[in-house]
Amino acid sequence: MSTLGFDDKIVTIERHIQEQQKQIPHATGTLTGLLQDIALAGKMIASRTTRAGLVDIIGATGETNVQGEKVQKLDIYAHETLFRLNDHTGRLCAMGSEEAEELIPIPEQFENGDYVLLFDPLDGSSNINYNVSVGTIFTIFRRVTPSGPGELEDALQPMRRIVAAGYIVYGSSTMMVYSCGNGVDGFTLDPQVGEFLLSHPNIRLPEKPKYWSGNMSYYPKWTKGVKAYCDWLINGCDGKHKMSMRYIGSMIADVHRLLLSGGIFFYPNETDRAEAKLRLLYETMPMGFLIEQAGGYVSTGTEPLRNIQPTDLHQRMAVYMGNRDLVEKAEEFITEYDGA
Ligand code: P6P
């Protein structure tokens, strides 16, 4: 049963989004249209990622982005697709992209709207050449400035002010998973008809967690508290949980698995880096929002992520997300050993 009580089989994402709109007081249909355009962007990007090896869009462009990462041709295609589908609709006052250093204004020939769309157009894109699942992550806020072109403060909002967030994962199948704050639902693309159909209604983190997920090659660079936590996981969580370890190196793939299997995904600070790796606005907040909507908890390691007030578009932050008891255990070790 979906979060909206659907029990018939053919539920398209368009129908589901419209039903969600009825749950939101004073909804005008703008958010519905925005979510439907994101789904369309996902279909267009999927059509390229599934043929990456066949058409000349694999590989790097030779440029590096604001993150200092090599820009893949598919990154640019995904960014452009999301921008072009949303720049003229009058629904947004600004956009933010992991691929763009500054906030992206709505072109002056178009109307400014009430929402802000932030996206990582193709998270994990460095894995494309290895056919690892990658994806698009998005966050939607209502603007906080009264009108006109959006400003930075419209984008720099905390997780608790997210109106909707989700992702499209391009893997063995293409799925769109999203939440408007009433739980999480997943839709699988039927490429024959070009529709996202409800396949994973009302996703909830399983009580019995299956995998823990962290890049153990950085263990030597982690703090005493994080190392102690890892040792606790490796040694069976005091007999409480019997989990395996899985880590793909594409956040969207690792967190998609987490949503369906339960466990924990974490990316700690490293003692030799000024800041962590994962982007607060483009990765950890939207994915953390979904985890909490599915009954889990997301933390910086010392405090709930939902308390963080972003101060920069490309701010990075440590993250621990998953089943609440596993995340709280990480916080305990970090507090005990690192005096955080
Ligand atoms: P590492 C991909 O580049 C990414 O931003 C996330 O998708 C992923 O979780 C992380 O970096 C992987 O980083 O250092 O483990 O390779």
Side-chain angles (χ1 to χ4, degrees):
M1 186 74 85
S2 82
T3 51
L4 297 164
F6 287 117
D7 52 13
D8 52 347
K9 288 285 168 281
I10 308 287
V11 178
T12 63
I13 196 162
E14 285 76 12
R15 176 180 168 190
H16 191 274
I17 292 169
Q18 277 155 14
E19 292 297 326
Q20 286 281 357
Q21 178 188 309
K22 291 177 189 163
Q23 315 280 321
I24 300 171
H26 321 303
T28 60
T30 306
L31 180 62
T32 296
L34 174 51
L35 285 165
Q36 289 173 347
D37 281 344
I38 292 170
L40 175 57
K43 294 177 198 172
M44 294 172 69
I45 297 164
S47 74
R48 295 290 188 102
T49 52
T50 49
R51 290 182 293 125
L54 302 171
V55 293
D56 180 25
I57 45 170
I58 203 163
T61 58
E63 296 155 28
T64 53
N65 65 11
V66 61
Q67 322 292 344
E69 293 164 340
K70 279 196 193 121
V71 179
Q72 305 286 337
K73 291 175 186 170
L74 269 175
D75 280 325
I76 295 302
Y77 175 75
H79 170 88
E80 289 294 323
T81 300
L82 283 153
F83 177 72
R84 293 269 170 263
L85 284 179
N86 288 288
D87 65 343
H88 60 284
T89 62
R91 299 187 186 111
L92 302 177
C93 64
M95 288 183 250
S97 168
E98 196 217 19
E99 293 298 329
E101 184 148 5
E102 308 297 334
L103 195 65
I104 304 168
I106 298 304
E108 56 188 25
Q109 68 269 35
F110 301 128
E111 287 294 304
N112 285 293
D114 293 333
Y115 292 96
V116 183
L117 173 64
L118 305 180
F119 51 86
D120 180 352
L122 208 64
D123 182 73
S125 56
S126 54
N127 296 286
I128 286 172
N129 302 6
Y130 313 122
N131 212 11
V132 168
S133 297
V134 294
T136 299
I137 305 174
F138 66 90
T139 305
I140 299 169
F141 291 114
R142 282 192 74 83
R143 67 181 304 164
V144 292
T145 55
S147 61
E151 297 169 34
L152 204 48
E153 68 179 299
D154 291 310
L156 299 182
Q157 297 190 51
M159 181 171 124
R160 63 179 179 277
R161 293 182 56 88
I162 290 178
V163 171
Y167 59 86
I168 300 113
V169 53
Y170 313 109
S172 49
S173 66
T174 298
M175 273 191 74
M176 181 162 167
V177 177
Y178 86 102
S179 172
C180 290
N182 305 309
V184 183
D185 293 284
F187 301 77
T188 299
L189 182 65
D190 179 339
Q192 261 70 43
V193 298
E195 276 293 350
F196 279 109
L197 301 179
L198 183 62
S199 55
H200 295 69
N202 195 20
I203 297 173
R204 300 293 294 172
L205 277 181
E207 288 291 313
K208 191 171 168 27
K210 208 167 174 192
Y211 300 114
W212 59 275
S213 185
N215 186 339
M216 287 299 286
S217 64
Y218 297 138
Y219 184 96
K221 299 180 184 176
W222 288 341
T223 61
K224 285 196 182 72
V226 178
K227 288 178 179 175
Y229 178 61
C230 260
D231 297 342
W232 179 78
L233 289 168
I234 290 167
N235 293 308
C237 311
D238 296 337
K240 194 172 169 225
H241 298 302
K242 191 152 180 43
M243 295 188 283
S244 290
M245 189 267 192
R246 290 281 189 284
Y247 187 81
I248 298 175
S250 169
M251 183 185 192
I252 207 147
D254 282 317
V255 178
H256 181 67
R257 180 196 57 245
L258 169 65
L259 257 181
L260 301 179
S261 69
I264 182 166
F265 169 86
F266 57 96
Y267 203 110
N269 288 312
E270 287 140 43
T271 47
D272 65 347
R273 278 174 75 141
E275 56 176 355
K277 177 175 186 181
L278 297 186
R279 271 70 52 159
L280 177 62
L281 282 169
Y282 297 110
E283 293 172 304
T284 59
M285 265 175 41
M287 300 306 270
F289 174 76
L290 293 175
I291 290 290
E292 294 207 342
Q293 283 292 316
Y297 170 49
V298 59
S299 168
T300 64
T302 54
E303 62 179 308
L305 194 75
R306 62 188 308 109
N307 291 351
I308 298 298
Q309 171 55 50
T311 54
D312 178 87
L313 269 182
H314 297 284
Q315 188 173 359
R316 298 166 186 261
M317 193 156 283
V319 71
Y320 302 74
M321 58 173 81
N323 290 65
R324 175 170 285 276
D325 64 324
L326 291 173
V327 177
E328 288 177 342
K329 194 68 183 175
E331 290 177 329
E332 276 174 40
F333 277 108
I334 291 167
T335 303
E336 182 185 346
Y337 287 86
D338 303 341

